[in-house]
Amino acid sequence: MKTELENVKPKEIETRSFEIITEELGDRKLIPGTELIVKRCIHTSADFDYAENLCFSEHAVEKAIDAIKNGACIVTDTQMAKAGINKKALAKYGGEVFCFMSDEDVAFAAKSQGTTRAVASMDKAASMGKPLIFAIGNAPTALVRLYELIREGKISPYLIIGVPVGFVNVVQSKEMIMETEVPYIVAKGRKGGSNIAACICNALLYMIDNERDYWK
Amino acid sequence: MKTELENVKPKEIETRSFEIITEELGDRKLIPGTELIVKRCIHTSADFDYAENLCFSEHAVEKAIDAIKNGACIVTDTQMAKAGINKKALAKYGGEVFCFMSDEDVAFAAKSQGTTRAVASMDKAASMGKPLIFAIGNAPTALVRLYELIREGKISPYLIIGVPVGFVNVVQSKEMIMETEVPYIVAKGRKGGSNIAACICNALLYMIDNERDYWK
């Protein structure tokens, strides 16, 4: 075998990865209290752009952690993000993860209103009457609809994780969320994704647990 | 509302996104026959690095498409990738998607052998006796185990999509796969992810369907 593998035990891979990320970030300044989220996004993507593009409204992390501890549920716009979120960790505080994208009523509403299923999903979430965190990794139309629902006073999320990825209305939809009074974590620009949405949720959960060495 | 949205109908968002990607790629040379895969990875990540880092063994795309048409199944190393792969499109040709990471026998095997669940998952896949495509978006240890199983003659995949992301043994594990005789699509370097693994599977499926305008 020509290729030499680094001898790291399975359990230590994550810790070693965070060490490398911290080393390579060097003396780049991160917003105090957000470091673990930024590093986890880099860990998930191997993309150091997340050290620059992640924006946090004031006290967003503390507010999100409080909401989770008080049983907030997470609504996401992809089955992928739902699959990626640590549902067991969330359930400890009473929360659940929802994704309505494959629901028949959502498909029907989207078709009859000539809109996207993401928009219809946000409407469905607004009618739940639960304390909610939104984790949007795919559809800018979901963020635009959340903006409208917030402006209309129909929803008041505890946090919006606004990290859709892409080329059409993605940048704009994120800016709209940043104009609201709702706590947000947004990846400015085109980048993001379901993986990033899930990873930010997990970072928040692991910050509460504080079980992992590299968090300390 | 300060922010101006581009007026693109839901159905046209993907087409418009691919136009923008094609424009921004400019005259960058992509390997003929791989363009749709490369562009879909950029579409999924908004990261143009995929125009540089994706490596294809000779005729990998044609071989993968043949395998899918002949009912190959896809084994992946995350529930996220499984959630993201278009299972309906794959089922048309008789294929299924498997992820063994949460299986009890896999957890047990990993624990008793002091290895990762990803390694135990690959062993389980090798014992299936099915024509397989592997889509590895997370665990370099899965690729290392596949390398060993191939060398031992215990498995002969139709394609390995080798796109784990990360900082420990990720680069090396990809190089190992590129040393084998097995057809591969590999994202050289640290980048990749479950989203990229799923997106490459879907790109292959959509190339067969050829339903989408921007593929033509």
Side-chain angles (χ1 to χ4, degrees):
Chain A
M1 199 189 300
K2 282 181 284 177
T3 313
E4 284 228 10
L5 292 170
E6 203 179 334
N7 188 14
V8 181
K9 286 184 195 138
K11 278 191 178 174
E12 291 162 7
I13 292 173
E14 201 165 279
T15 307
R16 179 76 192 112
S17 300
F18 273 77
E19 280 172 11
I20 296 171
I21 293 167
T22 304
E23 271 166 40
E24 296 197 14
L25 278 169
D27 48 17
R28 228 187 293 198
K29 287 248 176 343
L30 303 178
I31 306 163
T34 71
E35 298 91 340
L36 305 177
I37 295 170
V38 173
K39 288 181 189 176
R40 198 160 186 94
C41 288
I42 297 170
H43 176 254
T44 285
S45 62
D47 188 342
F48 282 83
D49 279 6
Y50 289 99
E52 312 290 345
N53 69 21
L54 283 175
C55 301
F56 299 78
S57 65
E58 221 176 328
H59 305 302
V61 174
E62 296 92 316
K63 287 176 186 173
I65 285 177
D66 276 349
I68 292 171
K69 282 183 177 168
N70 287 311
C73 290
I74 297 175
V75 173
T76 180
D77 65 332
T78 60
Q79 303 295 348
M80 273 190 88
K82 183 179 171 184
I85 296 168
N86 191 328
K87 290 166 283 293
K88 223 168 156 180
L90 183 64
K92 278 199 279 184
Y93 310 102
E96 258 185 274
V97 182
F98 296 96
C99 172
F100 302 127
M101 294 295 286
S102 323
D103 292 8
E104 270 180 41
D105 56 341
V106 162
F108 179 79
K111 211 173 175 184
S112 59
Q113 291 158 28
T115 183
T116 65
R117 281 186 293 158
V119 167
S121 293
M122 296 304 107
D123 289 338
K124 184 164 177 172
S127 70
M128 287 171 78
K130 277 185 192 280
L132 293 179
I133 288 173
F134 287 87
I136 307 300
N138 185 52
T141 54
L143 287 190
V144 174
R145 187 63 185 141
L146 283 178
Y147 173 89
E148 293 166 351
L149 290 166
I150 292 162
R151 286 286 147 117
E152 291 165 12
K154 290 185 181 158
I155 200 166
S156 178
Y158 284 80
L159 175 75
I160 296 178
I161 298 169
V163 295
V165 59
F167 297 87
V168 176
N169 288 333
V170 165
V171 172
Q172 295 95 312
S173 70
K174 291 169 177 172
E175 281 169 7
M176 287 167 76
I177 293 303
M178 293 170 75
E179 288 171 21
T180 70
E181 300 298 312
V182 167
Y184 63 77
I185 301 175
V186 161
K188 244 188 160 175
R190 288 170 166 178
K191 286 186 177 174
S194 304
N195 52 339
I196 296 295
C199 127
I200 293 173
C201 294
N202 291 341
L204 291 166
L205 288 162
Y206 301 153
M207 283 171 82
I208 304 178
D209 283 352
N210 201 26
E211 272 172 12
R212 309 193 175 205
D213 287 343
Y214 55 86
W215 281 150
K216 286 164 195 168
Chain B
M1 196 189 302
K2 282 182 284 177
T3 313
E4 284 229 8
L5 292 169
E6 203 178 333
N7 187 14
V8 180
K9 286 184 194 136
K11 279 192 179 173
E12 292 162 7
I13 293 173
E14 200 165 279
T15 307
R16 179 76 192 112
S17 300
F18 274 77
E19 280 171 12
I20 296 170
I21 293 166
T22 305
E23 272 165 41
E24 296 197 14
L25 279 169
D27 48 14
R28 227 185 295 194
K29 287 248 176 344
L30 304 178
I31 305 163
T34 70
E35 298 91 339
L36 304 177
I37 294 169
V38 174
K39 288 181 188 176
R40 200 161 185 93
C41 288
I42 296 170
H43 176 253
T44 286
S45 62
D47 188 341
F48 281 84
D49 278 6
Y50 289 100
E52 313 289 343
N53 69 21
L54 283 175
C55 301
F56 299 79
S57 65
E58 220 176 329
H59 305 301
V61 175
E62 296 93 315
K63 287 177 187 173
I65 285 177
D66 276 350
I68 292 171
K69 283 183 176 170
N70 288 311
C73 290
I74 297 175
V75 174
T76 181
D77 65 331
T78 59
Q79 303 295 348
M80 273 192 89
K82 184 179 171 185
I85 296 170
N86 190 328
K87 291 166 282 292
K88 224 166 154 181
L90 183 65
K92 279 199 278 185
Y93 310 101
E96 259 184 276
V97 182
F98 297 95
C99 173
F100 303 127
M101 294 295 286
S102 323
D103 292 8
E104 270 180 40
D105 55 342
V106 163
F108 179 80
K111 207 169 178 185
S112 60
Q113 290 158 29
T115 182
T116 65
R117 281 187 293 156
V119 166
S121 293
M122 295 304 107
D123 289 338
K124 183 163 178 173
S127 71
M128 286 172 76
K130 278 185 192 280
L132 294 179
I133 288 172
F134 287 86
I136 307 301
N138 187 53
T141 54
L143 287 189
V144 174
R145 186 63 185 141
L146 283 178
Y147 173 90
E148 292 165 352
L149 290 166
I150 292 163
R151 286 286 148 114
E152 292 164 12
K154 289 185 182 157
I155 200 166
S156 177
Y158 283 81
L159 176 74
I160 295 177
I161 298 169
V163 294
V165 60
F167 297 86
V168 177
N169 288 333
V170 165
V171 172
Q172 296 94 313
S173 71
K174 291 169 177 174
E175 280 168 9
M176 288 167 75
I177 292 302
M178 293 171 77
E179 286 172 21
T180 70
E181 300 298 311
V182 167
Y184 63 77
I185 301 176
V186 161
K188 243 186 159 175
R190 286 170 167 178
K191 285 188 178 174
S194 304
N195 52 339
I196 296 294
C199 129
I200 293 174
C201 295
N202 290 341
L204 291 166
L205 288 163
Y206 300 153
M207 284 172 82
I208 304 179
D209 282 353
N210 201 26
E211 270 172 13
R212 309 195 176 205
D213 287 344
Y214 54 84
W215 282 150
K216 287 164 193 168

